[in-house]
Structures are given as C-alpha cells and as structure tokens.
C-alpha cells in the first residue's frame, strides 16, 4: 500500500516547484526565445502538472470513499497510477 500522506506532501512540493518555474518562464522577455518558452510551459503543464492534478483527484476519491469501499481492481489501478506519478515528484524536497 502507498502512504497517501507522503504522496500528498510530495505533490504539494512538486506542484509548487513547477508552478514557480512557469512563473519564472512568464518573466522571460525575449522574442528570440518566445517559442521555446511557450513549448517548455506547455510541456510542464501537460506532462507534469496535469498528472499531479490527477493524483490529487485520485487521492481525494480514495480518502473520501475509503479504500475498503473501492473495488480491488480499480484501487490497484489507481495505486499503480499514483506510483507512476510519484516518480515525477522525486527530488523536490530539497529545492
């Protein structure tokens, strides 16, 4: 089983880190780099922040409903997904 509280803490740190990165990218005022900046912002939003939002949703459903009230196959699938998302959150504790 996963430690939901630990994942929630990691999610908060990772989300804060990546949102700060997006804000820093917004402050870049270079016509030469505008395409690269937009591409990087898009990648961060869709490849990192969206999965983090999904993890928040899954944790909320699991916490609200209770793991015992969720069918086993679905709970396993969600835990697997949370483990995958958790790899996106490695290393933000020290930043």
């Amino acid at each position: 089983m996963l430690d939901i509280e630990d994942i929630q803490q990691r999610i908060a740190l990772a989300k804060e880190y990546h949102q700060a990165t997006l804000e820093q990218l917004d402050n870049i005022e270079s016509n030469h780099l505008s395409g690269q900046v937009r591409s990087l912002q898009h990648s961060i939003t869709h490849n990192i922040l969206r999965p983090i939002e999904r993890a928040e949703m899954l944790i909320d459903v699991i916490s609200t409903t209770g793991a015992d009230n969720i069918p086993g196959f679905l709970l396993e699938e969600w835990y697997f997904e949370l483990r995958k998302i958790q790899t996106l959150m490695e290393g933000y504790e020290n930043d």
Side-chain angles (χ1 to χ4, degrees):
M1 291 303 236
L2 294 175
D3 181 359
I4 297 295
E5 288 181 22
D6 181 54
I7 293 173
Q8 284 177 313
Q9 290 173 347
R10 289 174 185 250
I11 285 172
L13 290 171
K15 190 173 186 177
E16 182 180 308
Y17 176 86
H18 289 294
Q19 286 176 334
T21 300
L22 288 176
E23 288 176 23
Q24 289 174 341
L25 289 170
D26 275 337
N27 293 328
I28 295 175
E29 296 178 13
S30 169
N31 290 335
H32 179 70
L33 296 175
S34 65
Q36 290 90 340
V37 168
R38 281 193 308 273
S39 177
L40 185 55
Q41 287 172 318
H42 178 80
S43 292
I44 290 169
T45 299
H46 293 282
N47 296 322
I48 298 173
L49 290 176
R50 293 287 189 266
I52 287 173
E53 290 169 1
R54 170 109 172 122
E56 289 173 326
M57 253 181 16
L58 291 175
I59 289 170
D60 185 51
V61 170
I62 292 168
S63 298
T64 304
T65 306
D68 295 337
N69 297 319
I70 299 172
F73 73 93
L74 187 56
L75 191 60
E76 271 186 53
E77 195 173 305
W78 288 354
Y79 279 147
F80 178 72
E81 188 171 349
L82 287 172
R83 274 190 226 110
K84 285 186 352 186
I85 293 169
Q86 191 174 16
T87 63
L88 291 172
M89 297 175 271
E90 298 292 322
Y92 300 106
E93 297 87 4
N94 300 318
D95 288 340

